[in-house]
Amino acid sequence: MKTLITARGITKQFGTTRALDGVDLDINAGEVHVLLGENGAGKSTLVKVLAGIHSHDEGTIEGKASLAVIHQELALVPELSVAENLFLNRLPKKFGFVDRAEMRRRAPKLLERVGLNVDPNAKVKDLGIAQQQMIEIARALDKNAGVLILDEPTAVLTDTETDRLLEIMAQLRENGVGLVFITHHLDEIQRIADRITVLRDGRSVGVLGPKATTQHMIELMVGRPIEEQYPRARKRPGQPLLRISNFTRRGVFRDINIEVRAGEVVGVAGLVGAGRTEVARAAFGVDDYDYGTVEVDGKPLPRNNVQAAIKAGLGLVPEDRKGQGLVLTASVGQNLELATLANRDSKRLTDIAGKLRIKGRVDQPVKELSGGNQQKVVIGKWLLADPKVLILDEPTRGVDVGAKVEIYELINRMTAQGRAVLLVSSDLPEVIGMSDRVVVMAHGRVAGELPKGATQDQVMALAVQEISA
């Protein structure tokens, strides 16, 4: 097998933080090499060093293969067309002008190569995230990239979109492309990986083969055994703390009725577009609704009033942590205080950061933290506010296995104290494993409710059903 890139002893220091400490990595032609590790383990830093975005302080990188990176934040221009984005920064020209005829001729062939059937003249902003990722991949392949690095490409994809991406990766592998794949979904690793390099605290702690067990991967990642992936501790529920009744927003959701009791986790499942996030946002007061009521501990909330919701004891961890849950230019401590707006208590902030195992200083800008640590900060601000009810919308998206279990343990801690949790999640094993009951939404309506112990098939049967008006 031909080695395309060889990295040896890669070390990278940021101030007093050693992000990479003597990491070795080989990228071979026709191989999917998975980089696995907790948030903050050094994966993204290593990718940026390989791509030349960061220089390395020590070590060597050898190889002449061209390299392209598909980052978590896609580098597309939303207002431009698909074709223009495919040839961004290298537009074909004729007589000094952009050759649009040449773009229209070449674009369909590139799109076909990644199985994407879209109009080359369509604006990128009108496409879904999965389609946008395929455009990034097609653009990289047109550059004849011998090595393609995909940094958590499936984090925001549906199961069907993920299946399609893995199929394309398998085709690229057959064509001799070397692939580096970063993901937190262990099932995807077992489906596609040829080799797995595990990073922990900036060091390579093991190289595994494709038949490595989930347990072995987890133990190498976190450096400790995790006995149970979904450690839900249950107790007898108390009085209703959240009651959503006849909740309706025309054209979005209709006649939603959900009750969550003290000490209880109620999951909300459904396909993309089912209306789960919209219900969560409207219940918290971010968006308005047409009619219905939201009650916290028996007291109705005014519509479209976030401050009243917080005062009543309701919290929301939003789906988009960067756009809606954090002030990226502010410090970790300032973000932790956002839900309370209390006077700074350094000891309390340090204590909560320690309990959450946030890898970062309290005075450090939150934008410098990894995605998983940013998510812990979003959750931490609500732990400081001590709400009666916490709505969690995709709380573990883009979060590694170790951090997921820590978030689950925080959920257990809240419910053990008599709080209530409404858990909105696209991760079926998560929503089934951590919920006492699961409400399934379809087409903006409640399709049904399932008790603890429901199967994924039962959830999906409700999620895809047609609901009469």
Side-chain angles (χ1 to χ4, degrees):
M1 187 175 289
K2 181 182 178 182
T3 300
L4 300 174
I5 294 178
T6 301
R8 291 288 180 268
I10 303 301
T11 298
K12 180 62 181 177
Q13 193 106 359
F14 294 102
T16 59
T17 302
R18 179 160 286 203
L20 296 173
D21 190 0
V23 174
D24 296 341
L25 184 75
D26 292 325
I27 305 174
N28 296 328
E31 180 183 64
V32 176
H33 195 146
V34 170
L35 273 182
L36 182 62
E38 291 192 276
N39 293 108
K43 304 184 299 297
S44 293
T45 302
L46 179 58
V47 166
K48 289 175 180 177
V49 167
L50 292 172
I53 298 171
H54 292 327
S55 60
H56 49 290
D57 300 324
E58 298 176 21
T60 60
I61 299 175
E62 297 178 354
K64 297 183 179 180
S66 60
L67 182 149
V69 181
I70 311 299
H71 295 283
Q72 293 181 51
E73 289 79 23
L74 299 179
L76 299 174
V77 181
E79 293 295 335
L80 295 183
S81 70
V82 170
E84 287 168 327
N85 273 279
L86 283 171
F87 302 103
L88 206 60
N89 298 325
R90 50 192 183 86
L91 295 169
K93 293 185 178 180
K94 187 175 183 179
F95 304 124
F97 296 95
V98 174
D99 190 345
R100 298 193 177 278
E102 177 69 5
M103 277 201 302
R104 287 193 293 270
R105 184 185 69 80
R106 290 170 55 189
K109 295 179 181 179
L110 283 175
L111 296 173
E112 183 181 356
R113 190 173 179 186
V114 295
L116 188 56
N117 183 23
V118 298
D119 181 359
N121 297 312
K123 287 191 175 182
V124 161
K125 69 177 183 180
D126 296 326
L127 303 181
I129 189 68
Q131 294 171 316
Q132 293 182 28
Q133 283 187 330
M134 294 305 177
I135 292 169
E136 284 263 37
I137 293 172
R139 183 170 68 184
L141 295 178
D142 189 51
K143 297 177 183 176
N144 294 316
V147 172
L148 184 61
I149 300 178
L150 300 103
D151 190 354
E152 294 193 49
T154 63
V156 295
L157 301 187
T158 65
D159 289 344
T160 301
E161 291 166 344
T162 295
D163 289 342
R164 178 58 187 152
L165 178 61
L166 295 182
E167 288 173 7
I168 290 170
M169 289 174 61
Q171 292 169 6
L172 295 174
R173 174 173 57 192
E174 292 298 317
N175 293 334
V177 176
L179 296 120
V180 176
F181 183 39
I182 299 176
T183 181
H184 292 308
H185 299 291
L186 302 187
D187 59 322
E188 295 169 4
I189 293 173
Q190 292 171 325
R191 289 170 60 185
I192 197 71
D194 296 304
R195 255 187 321 153
I196 307 158
T197 291
V198 185
L199 298 181
R200 186 172 74 239
D201 297 328
R203 297 180 180 179
S204 174
V205 293
V207 179
L208 306 176
K211 295 184 179 180
T213 65
T214 297
Q215 193 67 22
H216 193 183
M217 286 188 273
I218 292 173
E219 288 181 0
L220 279 177
M221 281 174 62
V222 303
R224 64 185 191 281
I226 291 179
E227 302 298 333
E228 192 176 357
Q229 196 168 356
Y230 302 104
R232 175 70 186 126
R234 290 168 179 82
K235 60 176 289 183
R236 186 181 296 276
Q239 79 278 10
L241 287 184
L242 175 66
R243 185 179 281 127
I244 299 172
S245 306
N246 304 317
F247 212 37
T248 298
R249 179 180 171 190
R250 293 184 185 92
V252 183
F253 53 82
R254 178 180 171 188
D255 296 331
I256 304 297
N257 292 282
I258 300 173
E259 182 179 275
V260 193
R261 294 170 289 177
E264 190 177 40
V265 177
V266 172
V268 181
L271 301 178
V272 173
R276 299 165 303 164
T277 291
E278 290 78 5
V279 167
R281 286 171 56 86
F284 186 59
V286 178
D287 301 325
D288 204 355
Y289 53 94
D290 294 311
Y291 58 86
T293 59
V294 180
E295 297 177 27
V296 175
D297 203 9
K299 298 176 182 178
L301 298 181
R303 286 165 42 173
N304 206 201
N305 191 326
V306 171
Q307 290 305 316
I310 295 173
K311 188 175 180 180
L314 184 61
L316 170 67
V317 172
E319 178 183 31
D320 179 4
R321 62 174 168 255
K322 289 188 176 180
Q324 301 166 2
L326 296 168
V327 178
L328 292 174
T329 55
S331 69
V332 170
Q334 288 168 328
N335 274 277
L336 287 171
E337 295 169 323
L338 283 177
T340 56
L341 298 178
N343 292 327
R344 174 175 284 267
D345 183 340
S346 298
K347 184 179 185 305
R348 195 173 178 217
L349 294 177
T350 302
D351 286 347
I352 199 72
K355 286 179 182 177
L356 290 167
R357 298 180 66 198
I358 296 171
K359 293 180 180 177
R361 304 182 313 276
V362 170
D363 61 351
Q364 185 175 358
V366 78
K367 66 181 178 182
E368 295 180 359
L369 271 58
S370 64
N373 283 296
Q374 288 179 353
Q375 185 71 340
K376 290 180 186 179
V377 173
V378 179
I379 294 172
K381 74 180 181 184
W382 289 113
L383 295 183
L384 279 174
D386 196 22
K388 296 175 183 176
V389 181
L390 185 58
I391 302 173
L392 299 169
D393 191 359
E394 304 290 0
T396 64
R397 177 176 285 171
V399 173
D400 62 71
V401 174
K404 280 185 179 182
V405 173
E406 290 163 7
I407 290 172
Y408 300 152
E409 288 169 349
L410 290 170
I411 291 172
N412 284 336
R413 197 178 309 159
M414 287 191 67
T415 54
Q417 294 169 349
R419 309 293 191 260
V421 173
L422 187 66
L423 174 62
V424 180
S425 178
S426 300
D427 186 332
L428 283 186
E430 172 179 272
V431 79
I432 290 170
M434 286 302 297
S435 301
D436 300 305
R437 292 181 287 122
V438 179
V439 173
V440 184
M441 289 186 62
H443 310 292
R445 303 281 296 276
V446 172
E449 182 178 306
L450 296 169
K452 175 63 190 170
T455 66
Q456 293 189 42
D457 289 342
Q458 289 174 316
V459 173
M460 287 304 298
L462 289 174
V464 300
Q465 75 176 30
E466 293 296 328
I467 299 177
S468 59

